[in-house]
Amino acid sequence: MIAVKRLAPPEGEKADALASAYRRLVLRRVTVLTVTMLALLASFLLDVATGPARLPLDSVAASVFGLAADPTIDAIVWNIRLPVAAIALLVGACLGLSGVIMQTILNNPLASSYTLGVSAGAGFGAGLVILLGSTVPLPEAYAIPLSAFFFAGIACAGVSAIGHARRASSEVLLLAGIAMLFLFQALLALLQFVASPEALQSIVFWLFGSLQKATWAKIAIIAIVLTLTMPLLMNDLWKLTALKLGDERVAGLGVKVGALRLRAFVATSILTGVAVAFVGTIGFIGLVAPHVARIFLGEDQRALLPGSALFGALALSLASIASKTIQPGAIFPIGIVTALIGVPFFIWLILANRRAFW
Amino acid sequence: MKIDVEKLGVRYGSHTAVDGVNLSAAPGEILGVLGPNGSGKSSLVKAIAGILPHSGKVRFDGAVAPNPSVIGYMPLDHQTRAALTVLETVLLGRLGRLGLRVSKADLAAAEEVLRDIGILSLAMRDLGTLSGGQRQLVFLAQALAGSPRVLLLDEPFSALDIRHQLEVAELLARLTRERKLTTIVVLHDIPMAGRLADRLALLEGGRLMALGNRADVLASSAMRSVFQVEFVTDRAKDDRVEIRDMRLLAKT
């Protein structure tokens, strides 16, 4: 009998090999998402524990999960610390999510949730209410976010209208967005020019970003918007992934590219608008979180979108802790912290990860 | 699936890229599209694929708007910065059928096409780490992954080495025959056109200059006048047309 040397495994084994390689890929992504969620939980508890009165972590955890015996700790946690820590998570998730969608639809790694003028619109809206002061018939706590969200919507509508007229290519959206960005920045500068010193100080402080005005009502609104926006994006996950292969190829797969881009842009504008309206412009999260997520999870938007939201939430939660510890007894503006910590981290990312997509 | 193109026109602003082209392609047939640079070959194929606004009609078995999944289209551009694996890229060829979870059927279809093209070993590689030729094979696999009935390929051999050119040509001929695909291929390589295409369409300045059997088109005076090249052809035993020699015509 002649012994036949088997050079290649039979076809069945190959099929299993591909399926198990794919399963390993999926498992790796699930592991990354799970670990990030655990890190997020730890950061969240630490954020709640951090403040002028340092609370023990175990008491904080007990209070958060409704098991605390100490009413003082309960009062500090539920009335003061938890809203700030929770809004950090939600706003971070919104910014991470909108940043990754913006990078995808513009096919541009420099894009973030602020690139297309949505936050500039929000800044102008907030500045306008601060300037008008008591002439606005609503309490400032609601008038500022409402106006910020309204003008974020105006910026979004402007970009969408121009994009719609020109088949919504990434270049057209980018140019229209930059136009909106400059327009609203100029209008905001005009407000600052005519504002009284007190109003000017309030506007500048708003623009720094702050988590301290968090309330449960605001948290509920952001959470509802985030929850309602998700289904809009869920249907398009594969299409958004395909968008990275170029417009022509995706159109060849039967996707209406312009409509997809505008749909995703509106979703991302809502997320950015609601986040910015309540806490001011917090820079860098929407730029960095998607890049970190992409390094660990790749471009498959089924993993990249939740990953980017989680990394965004984690980044803002850590920044919130830093803002309370940099200067004991005072709270450093969160927008400054995210940029100061974010920039060196981002430069390290660029240098350490020379991936083909950069 | 029979394709009928009637009075097809494509314009970019004031420039006419395709001008009143009429042609048809039948199931089980490879139609090669030839022409010099800027003659409208890619625009013609894009218009047939439905991704370029155009005048005139394109009918698929008589219907004007087919289900996109019946078409496998591969554009010329193979540059991408996407951080996707080869497998994910090929799976995207089944875009209309993919659920939130990738099914066993999707994986099996991707695997079959990766094996057919001989790049199964690249399945888990990052797209960005591949050479231009390897990427071209991946995108061919993507065009085939959705089990299309119509294949529209824009210069599928442009970045391939000679062995892969012959292998892919053989694969296209086999799949077209076995699966009764209607295959339209833009080609720059005249000898390849003689080997691969059943019929040829010759374009110049967006107009159809010749359409017919490959031997007739390659030996036609239209080929000489369009390319300003003399083609010396031999008809091989298996009905393929071999280009024996090519000479530049003297400029007049």
Side-chain angles (χ1 to χ4, degrees):
Chain A
M1 194 176 181
I2 301 167
V4 178
K5 190 176 176 185
R6 217 172 79 182
L7 292 172
E11 297 297 286
E13 282 182 27
K14 272 189 187 168
D16 286 349
L18 185 72
S20 60
Y22 183 71
R23 268 199 303 275
R24 277 198 301 278
L25 182 72
V26 172
L27 185 67
R28 199 180 73 209
R29 288 173 178 167
V30 171
T31 309
V32 169
L33 292 176
T34 311
V35 169
T36 313
M37 256 189 265
L38 292 174
L40 195 57
L41 179 66
S43 170
F44 176 70
L45 292 176
L46 194 61
D47 193 10
V48 177
T50 309
R54 183 104 202 168
L55 305 176
L57 261 182
D58 53 344
S59 310
V60 167
S63 177
V64 168
F65 295 113
L67 305 166
D70 186 341
T72 316
I73 289 183
D74 246 6
I76 294 175
V77 166
W78 282 89
N79 296 334
I80 303 167
R81 303 277 181 84
L82 256 185
V84 173
I87 212 165
L89 294 195
L90 287 170
V91 167
C94 286
L95 294 179
L97 202 53
S98 55
V100 75
I101 296 165
M102 206 65 100
Q103 289 178 6
T104 300
I105 62 175
L106 297 179
N107 200 12
N108 189 331
L110 293 174
S112 81
S113 30
Y114 296 162
T115 306
L116 297 191
V118 175
S119 71
F124 171 73
L128 191 64
V129 170
I130 293 169
L131 187 73
L132 294 175
S134 56
T135 56
V136 179
L138 266 176
E140 208 180 65
Y142 292 99
I144 290 178
L146 264 179
S147 175
F149 189 73
F150 176 74
F151 281 98
I154 298 268
C156 165
V159 176
S160 301
I162 298 169
H164 188 69
R166 292 295 302 272
R167 303 186 72 201
S169 69
S170 54
E171 293 84 359
V172 166
L173 278 189
L174 196 56
L175 290 173
I178 298 290
M180 286 295 148
L181 182 67
F182 277 102
L183 171 68
F184 281 108
Q185 274 180 348
L187 289 174
L188 182 62
L190 183 67
L191 288 185
Q192 290 172 314
F193 181 68
V194 300
S196 66
E198 296 75 30
L200 178 62
Q201 195 181 12
S202 295
I203 292 173
V204 170
F205 192 77
W206 189 90
L207 291 174
F208 281 159
S210 170
L211 303 173
Q212 299 308 312
K213 288 180 183 165
T215 62
W216 287 111
K218 290 177 183 174
I219 289 167
I221 292 170
I222 302 176
I224 289 167
V225 169
L226 192 59
T227 314
L228 291 179
T229 317
M230 290 304 267
L232 277 179
L233 298 167
M234 290 288 275
N235 280 336
D236 289 330
L237 290 175
W238 280 111
K239 290 177 189 166
L240 287 168
T241 305
L243 208 50
K244 294 296 287 187
L245 298 175
D247 284 14
E248 229 175 61
R249 205 174 293 284
V250 189
L253 293 168
V255 177
K256 302 264 181 282
V257 181
L260 170 67
R261 208 172 252 131
L262 287 178
R263 207 157 58 228
F265 171 61
V266 171
T268 189
S269 297
I270 293 171
L271 288 171
T272 309
V274 77
V276 173
F278 287 123
V279 301
T281 43
I282 293 175
F284 236 69
I285 303 283
L287 179 65
V288 175
H291 284 294
V292 179
R294 199 174 284 114
I295 286 168
F296 290 111
L297 298 162
E299 203 75 62
D300 183 341
Q301 307 270 328
R302 293 175 305 155
L304 183 60
L305 251 57
S308 197
L310 286 175
F311 280 115
L314 181 61
L316 197 52
S317 182
L318 292 172
S320 170
I321 297 168
S323 76
K324 289 186 269 187
T325 44
I326 287 174
Q327 199 181 346
I331 294 164
F332 218 70
I334 189 90
I336 298 177
V337 176
T338 53
L340 284 182
I341 297 178
V343 170
F345 178 64
F346 192 54
I347 291 171
W348 172 78
L349 270 184
I350 295 167
L351 296 176
N353 293 279
R354 291 179 188 165
R355 291 282 295 263
F357 54 91
W358 270 339
Chain B
M1 185 168 257
K2 186 164 189 290
I3 298 177
D4 291 298
V5 174
E6 292 165 29
K7 293 183 185 163
L8 190 86
V10 176
R11 293 175 69 87
Y12 299 107
S14 61
H15 172 69
T16 302
V18 179
D19 191 4
V21 168
N22 294 299
L23 56 80
S24 62
E29 167 182 88
I30 297 179
L31 174 69
V33 182
L34 293 177
N37 295 332
S39 58
K41 305 183 295 296
S42 295
S43 298
L44 172 68
V45 171
K46 280 180 204 171
I48 296 173
I51 64 169
L52 206 57
H54 58 84
S55 58
K57 291 248 161 45
V58 181
R59 289 199 167 85
F60 297 81
D61 274 351
V64 178
N67 184 331
S69 69
V70 303
I71 298 174
Y73 168 60
M74 182 174 116
L76 178 58
D77 178 27
H78 305 301
Q79 297 306 315
T80 171
R81 291 181 300 166
L84 289 169
T85 62
V86 167
L87 175 62
E88 287 167 321
T89 309
V90 173
L91 281 171
L92 286 171
R94 299 172 63 78
L95 194 61
R97 293 166 226 191
L98 290 172
L100 200 56
R101 284 187 66 161
V102 174
S103 70
K104 280 183 182 167
D106 292 324
L107 273 178
E111 191 214 340
E112 184 188 345
V113 74
L114 283 167
R115 183 181 295 122
D116 269 348
I117 295 179
I119 51 170
L120 189 56
S121 60
L122 301 179
M124 301 315 289
R125 281 268 297 274
D126 223 18
L127 205 54
T129 66
L130 302 183
S131 73
Q134 286 172 322
R135 268 207 292 271
Q136 194 162 29
L137 292 174
V138 173
F139 287 122
L140 179 64
Q142 187 187 59
L144 287 166
S147 309
R149 296 177 62 199
V150 172
L151 260 187
L152 303 171
L153 310 173
D154 197 346
E155 296 191 38
F157 306 103
S158 60
L160 301 185
D161 62 54
I162 187 67
R163 196 195 102 206
H164 280 103
Q165 284 186 35
L166 296 176
E167 280 180 1
V168 167
E170 212 165 82
L171 176 73
L172 289 179
R174 177 168 67 79
L175 292 179
T176 302
R177 209 171 44 244
E178 286 176 3
R179 299 185 187 175
K180 291 274 174 235
L181 302 180
T182 311
T183 304
I184 300 182
V185 191
V186 172
L187 293 163
H188 257 308
D189 185 335
I190 309 290
M192 178 58 87
R195 293 175 70 90
L196 177 69
D198 299 303
R199 290 192 309 134
L200 287 171
L202 176 64
L203 294 181
E204 186 186 35
R207 287 165 181 262
L208 189 65
M209 307 305 286
L211 175 68
N213 178 288
R214 61 185 167 191
D216 297 340
V217 172
L218 288 176
S220 67
S221 58
M223 279 294 282
R224 280 167 53 101
S225 64
V226 165
F227 286 102
Q228 291 293 299
V229 168
E230 173 85 49
F231 297 96
V232 184
T233 57
D234 277 340
R235 198 178 286 225
K237 276 183 190 163
D238 56 1
D239 198 38
R240 282 184 307 192
V241 179
E242 303 286 356
I243 306 290
R244 186 147 47 88
D245 199 8
M246 292 178 272
R247 282 189 296 271
L248 274 176
L249 290 177
K251 284 184 183 157
T252 52

